[in-house]
Amino acid sequence: MDEFGVYAIFGVNGPPQRLLRAEGSCRVSAAVPPSVRQVVLFSSGPWGERICVNAELNDADQIPITIGKLTPYNKCLSWEQWEEETWTDGVTLNVSLEGGNLTNSQPELIAVNEYTPKNPTAPLADRELSGKRKREQSTEEDGGDRMSEARGEENICPNGVKEKATPVRKGKGQVKSQKLFGNGADASKVKAAANEAGATPLQNAARTKSRQAKTPTQTSSLVGPSGRWGQTLCPIDAQTAILIGGQGARMQFCKDPMWKLCTEDLSWVAAETLAEGPTPEARIGHSAVFDPDSKRIFVFGGSKNKKWFNDVHILDTQSWRWTMVEAQGKVPPLAYHSCSMFRGELFVLGGVFPRPNPEPDGCSDSLYIFDPHLSIWYQPIVTGDKPSPRSGHSACVMQERYIYVFGGWDTPVCYNDMYMLDLGLMEFSVVKTSGKAPSPRSWHGSAVLSETKFLIHGGYNGNNALSDTFIFDIDTNSWTELKLAQLSTPRAGHSIVTMETPDHHGYSEDSSVSAGRTLLVFGGGDNEGTFFSDVTSVSVEDLLAAA
């Protein structure tokens, strides 16, 4: 296999079958046998100028389900449809190649040789499915204990098991989510899942068929991102923010991982149609930071099931092209860390890192710095009282000199302490605060409101998602609690940013619309079975006035 080729394995016992070759059609369609419940796709040979291979499944109703992308950095992917009752007839695998010497032709139809086992016993996949159903049925009988079993474990996602529609607020640009959950959960796996980065209690014994959105490269009926938590929302200019990643219902990583939010009317555009090159693999608990000088977004770390990441992907927002950094130096795979941009470098603090069994995954108290100019990681010498190991905390850069670190989680403890890192002295110190402080929490949202104030909202305390809002003043080191109807929905794992948005209530002599700063809240989960996909907006001026 010295020349480039893309191969597929249909089912656990099927032989590899070549779909694409170095010389041939750049698009291939293959009918998936009805008995097949797993598809594995992989490449072999040198990639050359080829960029990526897109793969998706279409059912009989022509509704696509994106499997993912093969790239020179990610040469294998798989799809297992175990959560469905049946694998419907008429499913087609569509594979398309981008880059290289393309042949502009109609999709080539490939005949799949269905594997017939000699042993008449049930295939492994069916036995696994049967076992999963039995476990789920037994779990429904003792479902009352599943949340108590999850409490205190590392990184249990703020979601639950109730079937519940996403609340929809009446307002411009807000997007309604579909129902997300059925009843029932696999409590027997909660504890094991808690030791995975971003692990969540397994949900959904109800076998309603999942209807995924069309892929971003096609005309999509989806007008906004699906409900999710653990994503990032990264502003790149006064009117635009980029949404990356996230996880939604049934522990499924979002098939629509990248969106562009236009704050002029709070509308969404599928951003992957604009970007070139291999995009980062689906993940949660990662960080995304925009460098205004280079106009680039830096995506670092995160996790996907049992897979951990310490890679750095860069999106150039001028050319809309992704690149992956071949970085020097050592940084561990991390998820639910904080990442701050200061003078063109990334400051990564804390987070969860994997440890071999039988030890559970642990939290870090280390500070790592990434220098994009040299493509190198290094650890600075820091002094003072640094924060204890934690994940799910927040970090706000204030006055281009200080990083304020609040809260976080290290099993079984949640924190509500505050630390400050002086970036000039590289010295940590404990911040002694006054006023009513937020209760201990992790996976909360934070945003800088002014030179001296930042906001903390929501989060997860190990039992419940929270809905309270606080503003911290660094001049007085004091907390102020706000009562806001717009932010009254409990949520955790959500994104909060401040943006320049039109203020239709303000008028000037030159224009009927003046710009104002607005706090935008997207996504998250409420620990009761709901993932959110709405956008809530609050005037920063009103927030500062209330504080």
Side-chain angles (χ1 to χ4, degrees):
M1 296 184 182
D2 292 332
E3 66 173 18
F4 177 80
V6 174
Y7 298 79
I9 298 175
F10 297 93
V12 293
N13 296 315
Q17 300 186 47
R18 183 156 61 179
L19 302 182
L20 297 176
R21 63 187 69 210
E23 300 295 334
S25 176
C26 63
R27 293 186 295 167
V28 165
S29 294
V32 180
S35 61
V36 168
R37 296 176 183 268
Q38 301 90 1
V39 176
V40 177
L41 202 66
F42 64 94
S43 70
S44 177
W47 275 71
E49 298 299 320
R50 301 172 183 90
I51 297 174
C52 64
V53 173
N54 299 300
E56 71 177 23
L57 293 168
N58 285 77
D59 66 7
D61 297 325
Q62 295 302 306
I63 297 180
I65 302 172
T66 302
I67 298 179
K69 291 185 177 183
L70 296 179
T71 72
Y73 313 103
N74 179 37
K75 299 179 180 180
C76 182
L77 54 87
S78 63
W79 174 264
E80 182 180 7
Q81 193 69 6
W82 60 264
E83 72 269 18
E84 306 294 352
E85 274 291 348
T86 59
W87 184 258
T88 60
D89 294 343
V91 175
T92 303
L93 172 66
N94 297 310
V95 178
S96 62
L97 174 66
E98 295 183 13
N101 298 321
L102 301 180
T103 301
N104 296 320
S105 62
Q106 294 297 321
E108 181 182 352
L109 300 179
I110 300 293
V112 175
N113 299 320
E114 186 169 1
Y115 176 79
T116 303
K118 296 180 180 179
N119 190 335
T121 57
L124 175 63
D126 291 338
R127 295 200 299 272
E128 290 176 343
L129 286 170
S130 176
K132 288 179 181 177
R133 293 195 184 101
K134 290 179 181 178
R135 288 194 295 272
E136 288 168 348
Q137 290 170 0
S138 64
T139 303
E140 293 175 0
E141 299 174 0
D142 59 357
D145 297 331
R146 59 179 166 261
M147 290 311 295
S148 61
E149 189 175 343
R151 292 170 187 168
E153 299 291 348
E154 180 64 60
N155 288 321
I156 299 297
C157 157
N159 58 24
V161 294
K162 294 181 181 178
E163 182 173 359
K164 183 176 177 182
T166 302
V168 178
R169 301 175 180 83
K170 298 297 183 180
K172 179 171 57 178
Q174 295 179 359
V175 181
K176 183 177 180 180
S177 173
Q178 72 277 18
K179 289 187 178 181
L180 300 171
F181 293 108
N183 294 322
D186 194 343
S188 65
K189 291 189 176 180
V190 168
K191 202 163 187 177
N195 290 330
E196 301 175 11
T200 65
L202 296 181
Q203 304 109 358
N204 190 43
R207 301 292 183 170
T208 56
K209 182 166 184 179
S210 172
R211 294 301 188 188
Q212 303 294 344
K214 291 179 180 290
T215 59
T217 56
Q218 297 180 342
T219 303
S220 176
S221 60
L222 200 66
V223 297
S226 56
R228 66 191 67 198
W229 85 290
Q231 72 288 332
T232 56
L233 186 62
C234 183
I236 62 172
D237 57 40
Q239 292 85 28
T240 311
I242 303 298
L243 173 66
I244 299 174
Q247 187 183 58
R250 302 187 305 279
M251 294 178 64
Q252 295 298 299
F253 286 83
C254 297
K255 308 303 180 185
D256 54 336
M258 190 173 170
W259 288 83
K260 177 180 177 181
L261 175 64
C262 304
T263 60
E264 183 177 2
D265 58 358
L266 296 184
S267 63
W268 293 96
V269 176
E272 196 172 4
T273 58
L274 306 176
E276 298 180 3
T279 58
E281 188 173 344
R283 61 190 67 194
I284 57 174
H286 54 287
S287 57
V289 180
F290 179 68
D291 178 15
D293 294 330
S294 63
K295 306 297 183 184
R296 297 186 296 174
I297 295 176
F298 294 85
V299 177
F300 167 72
S303 65
K304 180 182 181 183
N305 299 325
K306 293 183 179 181
K307 188 172 184 178
W308 299 72
F309 301 99
N310 64 347
D311 49 3
V312 178
H313 293 263
I314 300 177
L315 176 61
D316 188 322
T317 62
Q318 303 295 302
S319 64
W320 285 102
R321 184 174 180 86
W322 283 99
T323 57
M324 182 175 176
V325 178
E326 296 291 340
Q328 298 179 349
K330 291 184 178 181
V331 62
L334 291 171
Y336 310 108
H337 52 279
S338 64
C339 183
S340 307
M341 175 70 70
F342 177 68
R343 294 183 178 176
E345 293 184 318
L346 305 184
F347 285 65
V348 173
L349 175 66
V352 186
F353 61 90
R355 289 196 295 212
N357 289 330
E359 291 186 277
D361 297 328
C363 286
S364 169
D365 62 353
S366 298
L367 176 65
Y368 296 88
I369 297 179
F370 178 71
D371 183 340
H373 301 290
L374 300 176
S375 294
I376 189 171
W377 286 97
Y378 66 95
Q379 283 189 269
I381 297 175
V382 293
T383 60
D385 298 323
K386 68 178 182 179
S388 58
R390 64 191 61 202
S391 64
H393 53 285
S394 59
C396 293
V397 180
M398 304 296 294
Q399 299 179 352
E400 298 183 356
R401 172 68 186 264
Y402 311 103
I403 297 179
Y404 281 79
V405 179
F406 170 76
W409 168 294
D410 187 13
T411 302
V413 180
C414 266
Y415 298 103
N416 67 339
D417 49 7
M418 179 89 74
Y419 288 83
M420 186 267 289
L421 173 62
D422 187 319
L423 294 168
L425 303 175
M426 293 306 294
E427 179 181 19
F428 274 109
S429 60
V430 178
V431 180
K432 296 181 179 180
T433 68
S434 61
K436 180 184 177 181
S439 59
R441 67 194 62 202
S442 65
W443 297 326
H444 49 278
S446 66
V448 176
L449 302 180
S450 69
E451 285 290 307
T452 60
K453 295 179 180 179
F454 63 86
L455 174 141
I456 298 293
H457 171 258
Y460 183 65
N461 63 10
N463 295 312
N464 303 302
L466 306 172
S467 62
D468 46 6
T469 304
F470 296 83
I471 289 181
F472 187 75
D473 188 327
I474 67 172
D475 280 347
T476 60
N477 285 342
S478 62
W479 287 104
T480 302
E481 184 176 10
L482 303 184
K483 300 293 185 180
L484 297 169
Q486 303 99 311
L487 301 179
S488 60
T489 301
R491 65 179 81 205
H494 51 301
S495 300
I496 299 184
V497 297
T498 54
M499 305 279 293
E500 298 290 336
T501 55
D503 179 6
H504 294 275
H505 299 286
Y507 294 89
S508 65
E509 295 180 357
D510 299 329
S511 173
S512 60
V513 178
S514 61
R517 295 182 65 235
T518 301
L519 185 86
L520 300 177
V521 182
F522 169 79
D526 69 351
N527 199 40
E528 296 293 335
T530 299
F531 293 98
F532 299 104
S533 61
D534 58 341
V535 178
T536 301
S537 62
V538 184
S539 167
V540 171
E541 182 179 3
D542 292 345
L543 291 170
L544 293 174

